[in-house]
Amino acid sequence: MSGEDDSSGWQLTESDPSVFTELLKSLGVPLVVDDLYSLDSGALSTFQPIHALIFLFKWVGSSAEPSSGGQYDLEFPGFFAHQVVNNACATLAVMNAIGNIPDLPKGVQLSDLINFTVGMDPQTRGMVITSADWLREAHNALSPPSAISLEGLGLPKTTEEAYHFIVYLPYMGSVYELDGLKDSPVQHGPYEEKGEGWLAKAREVIEARIATYPPGSLEFSLLALHDDPLPTLQTSLSEAQASGNHAAVEEIMVRLANENSKRERWAFENSLRRHNYVGFIHALLSAMGKAGALDKAKEDAQAKMQERIAKRKEKGEAAMDED
Amino acid sequence: MSTEPRIAFKAGRAFRRENTNWVDPDPTKGAVILQNGEDGLLHFIWKNRTTNDSEEDLILFPSDATFAPVTQAASGRVYVLKFSSSNQRHFFWMQDADSTRDKDFVQNVNRLLLNPEELPVWFTGFPDALGTAAFEEPGTAQASSSSSSAQPAQPSQPAQPGQPGFQFTQEQLNQFQSMIESSGAGANVPPELSLTDVLTPANLTPLFTSHPELIQTLFPHLPPDLPSPPTPQTIQQVISSPQFRAAVRNFDQALRTGLLGGLVRGLGLPEEAGTGVEAFLRAIQDQAREGGGGDSMDTD
């Protein structure tokens, strides 16, 4: 299918919860994504109800990647799309998640797209999704506009390779793993509704997976896809105020303040992500010039570069001495 | 400058598990202390309250670091000290059983981190003087606390069809490719300097204090869709942000191709300014001397 270099117009995005949440907003979906720092019940209960877990990882090992257990489900009746363009991996993971959450409010374009792909095989579905112009534009809106395209110039790459995304979610009583690079979804077995529900099973599966990698070879993050807490908090606040429960009012206001300040921080970060900095860079250097600070800064920068080159040479020579 | 503690509060440390975002708290009783050093710089110290040893001593340049809450921690009392100049992260959890002063401590830490000349402001009473107060039982940390997001993936800049402005076509890119290869430029020629070493917070922050009138020239170039109206502090935040640093790296790389003549004309500079980093800086210096650089804003 599409080779590594065919980005088909999809830009690589950061894998930050703020980026995912912004994407969901533009799709008209009232869910939020947050980082999970642990799979213990305390961490998970912060975000209940959790609709899906997104496991993103980069494997830096050299031997064959270990298998993840479970069984392929070739008859999976839900929504599953293959990843056909690497740069689209984040959005593809989001689609594989939200395509399987029942009764989820969605924007019209999203509903239409999902409905259109009913009955398609995963490969075709992946191609259809990747060809949706409006979806690609929503995705690209999360990263800087390309004022300067450096693709195809053979310059050394300074950016990191994309992470790989896998979705874990409950479907018809079992925990499923949706990996856009695998042929079909993987079924990991049934879960019990009581207590933590599907999350208890998912925890087992994910921890087992992490354990199969040699220590230090896996870089990973875990994201929780869950309901936006703000509307519920607002309602709880009104109720607590109406019933005169001052302790509850205080507690809810603290949580609201935390959530709002996080959202404001995310909005700030996203606005920085979308910006073209060429004008700003020029203005900063001009300001330095006007303040008479540019010459010294230049000299210091030249000295730093010399240091760096010298260090690299040292290391290079040292490596040769070790032969 | 006195070397007495300026802010001090009980706090433990937490450490990140390698290659993950998982952070485990350490139960050792300790304290965070901000004080001026003999060197005249602000020091961020973590002291072990059992042994009385200062086990961490970080020097902080103005606006190089922030002390941010880790909102995911269930206890709500975990913070991270993070730097704009490096990827260093230091995690701490509040150990005073009374949490009512957390906000005060954190706000004042950040005020000092931004500007060490600032005087801390206390809203709920006076801070504990370490060594004289009787310590209560430290608060217990959660089984696993959390860190602030540190997603390492940086955006690259692939082509986007249909973008107006400075976009190169595939044909132009192919031409550039062969030009670079035939000229022998690129990887073989070591660069003289990098823009990333020029546009550092350490270089820029003193400017804003000594030439506050120049701040005005920067506002029009900030992102137009910020959630709240920009202030001088916004400029600090932007120049310390990973997004800005990535943009500078990208622009630096682009300048080294020597092919930005067309782009820099849009900034009111001569075409020669687009042939390299040194040329770019020279042209800006000339423009600044001639009193320009503030008016020619022919950017998108």
Side-chain angles (χ1 to χ4, degrees), chain B residues 73-122:
Chain B
S75 71
R77 302 185 74 199
V78 181
Y79 295 86
V80 57
L81 180 71
K82 46 185 179 173
F83 296 83
S84 60
S85 56
S86 75
N87 285 329
Q88 270 191 83
R89 298 273 185 275
H90 299 264
F91 298 95
F92 300 93
W93 56 280
M94 297 304 209
Q95 284 180 330
D96 195 322
D98 175 12
S99 62
T100 55
R101 280 204 308 259
D102 282 4
K103 198 170 118 182
D104 267 1
F105 284 127
V106 172
Q107 276 182 357
N108 281 306
V109 167
N110 280 310
R111 284 166 68 100
L112 278 193
L113 291 180
L114 188 60
N115 180 2
E117 308 290 308
E118 288 262 343
L119 295 171
V121 179
W122 303 101

Side-chain angles (χ1 to χ4, degrees), chain A residues 189-263:
Chain A
Y191 61 90
E192 294 182 357
E193 281 295 346
K194 67 174 171 69
E196 290 181 296
W198 75 278
L199 288 169
K201 180 83 189 157
R203 176 192 293 127
E204 254 177 60
V205 172
I206 294 175
E207 285 181 349
R209 185 190 189 114
I210 293 173
T212 61
Y213 289 85
S217 71
L218 186 71
E219 281 181 40
F220 69 90
S221 277
L222 209 50
L223 301 173
L225 183 64
H226 63 97
D227 287 344
D228 184 345
L230 284 175
T232 321
L233 283 174
Q234 298 284 8
T235 321
S236 305
L237 180 65
S238 308
E239 285 170 8
Q241 281 168 332
S243 67
N245 184 347
H246 297 295
V249 167
E250 273 249 5
E251 197 220 320
I252 296 172
M253 288 193 69
V254 167
R255 286 163 67 189
L256 263 174
N258 278 342
E259 186 70 27
N260 279 324
S261 86
K262 179 182 77 181
R263 297 293 181 88

Side-chain angles (χ1 to χ4, degrees), chain A residues 37 146 152 156 216 275 302 308, chain B residues 19 21 147 167 177 192 197 221:
Chain A
Y37 296 94
S146 3
H275 191 56
Q302 281 164 330
R308 238 177 250 133
Chain B
N19 286 339
N21 268 347
S147 76
Q167 189 66 24
Q177 169 96 17
E192 233 194 88
D197 292 324
H221 300 282

Side-chain angles (χ1 to χ4, degrees), chain A residues 14-16 35 37 146-147 151-153 156 163 216 218-221 264 271 274-275 282 290 295 302 305 308, chain B residues 19-22 146-147 149 151-153 158 166-167 177 191-192 197 221 223 225-226 228 250 253 285 287 292:
Chain A
E14 290 179 58
S15 3
D16 213 271
D35 275 314
Y37 296 94
S146 3
E151 286 272 294
L153 288 178
Y163 274 58
L218 186 71
E219 281 181 40
F220 69 90
S221 277
E264 170 136 0
S271 136
R274 290 187 282 257
H275 191 56
H282 177 227
K290 288 197 187 122
D295 279 331
Q302 281 164 330
M305 185 56 82
R308 238 177 250 133
Chain B
N19 286 339
T20 71
N21 268 347
W22 297 33
S146 34
S147 76
S149 174
Q151 303 298 346
F166 309 123
Q167 189 66 24
Q177 169 96 17
E192 233 194 88
D197 292 324
H221 300 282
D225 57 352
L226 293 168
S228 39
N250 182 266
Q253 249 195 341
Q285 191 80 296
Q287 203 184 41

Side-chain angles (χ1 to χ4, degrees), chain A residues 38-320:
Chain A
S38 155
L39 278 171
D40 70 22
S41 35
L44 292 176
S45 64
T46 324
F47 299 123
Q48 285 284 36
I50 298 180
H51 299 288
L53 294 173
I54 303 178
F55 180 66
L56 51 138
F57 68 100
K58 197 163 62 168
W59 174 65
V60 297
S62 46
S63 47
E65 197 176 336
S67 83
S68 65
Q71 283 176 308
Y72 281 106
D73 182 351
L74 293 113
E75 310 296 320
F76 180 71
F79 183 97
F80 175 64
H82 279 171
Q83 181 177 304
V84 298
V85 171
N86 283 345
N87 284 0
C89 47
T91 297
L92 186 93
V94 167
M95 292 295 292
N96 276 337
I98 60 187
N100 291 304
I101 299 173
D103 306 320
L104 182 66
K106 305 179 184 78
V108 167
Q109 284 171 310
L110 182 61
S111 299
D112 287 349
L113 182 61
I114 292 180
N115 290 337
F116 183 66
T117 66
V118 166
M120 289 183 182
D121 64 274
Q123 184 71 2
T124 311
R125 191 181 278 116
M127 283 161 61
V128 166
I129 290 180
T130 316
S131 318
D133 288 343
W134 67 269
L135 185 63
R136 189 189 63 235
E137 279 164 25
H139 169 103
N140 286 344
L142 305 163
S143 51
S146 3
I148 305 164
S149 168
L150 296 177
E151 286 272 294
L153 288 178
L155 293 170
K157 283 210 177 288
T158 56
T159 58
E160 302 209 2
E161 299 301 312
Y163 274 58
H164 185 42
F165 295 75
I166 295 181
V167 175
Y168 291 91
L169 45 67
Y171 194 85
M172 311 249 288
S174 287
V175 169
Y176 273 87
E177 168 193 328
L178 303 177
D179 179 349
L181 291 182
K182 289 198 170 134
D183 284 339
S184 59
V186 176
Q187 199 247 74
H188 285 280
Y191 61 90
E192 294 182 357
E193 281 295 346
K194 67 174 171 69
E196 290 181 296
W198 75 278
L199 288 169
K201 180 83 189 157
R203 176 192 293 127
E204 254 177 60
V205 172
I206 294 175
E207 285 181 349
R209 185 190 189 114
I210 293 173
T212 61
Y213 289 85
S217 71
L218 186 71
E219 281 181 40
F220 69 90
S221 277
L222 209 50
L223 301 173
L225 183 64
H226 63 97
D227 287 344
D228 184 345
L230 284 175
T232 321
L233 283 174
Q234 298 284 8
T235 321
S236 305
L237 180 65
S238 308
E239 285 170 8
Q241 281 168 332
S243 67
N245 184 347
H246 297 295
V249 167
E250 273 249 5
E251 197 220 320
I252 296 172
M253 288 193 69
V254 167
R255 286 163 67 189
L256 263 174
N258 278 342
E259 186 70 27
N260 279 324
S261 86
K262 179 182 77 181
R263 297 293 181 88
E264 170 136 0
R265 199 172 67 237
W266 283 1
F268 182 75
E269 285 170 17
N270 280 330
S271 136
L272 260 55
R273 271 182 192 106
R274 290 187 282 257
H275 191 56
N276 175 343
Y277 289 94
V278 174
F280 188 57
I281 290 173
H282 177 227
L284 280 170
L285 292 169
S286 293
M288 287 177 82
K290 288 197 187 122
L294 201 49
D295 279 331
K296 172 115 198 330
K298 224 173 99 171
E299 279 167 30
D300 291 346
Q302 281 164 330
K304 268 196 200 150
M305 185 56 82
Q306 291 308 314
E307 256 183 65
R308 238 177 250 133
I309 294 176
K311 274 199 191 130
R312 254 181 255 152
K313 280 211 180 107
E314 260 179 54
K315 280 196 188 144
E317 279 166 29
M320 289 189 333

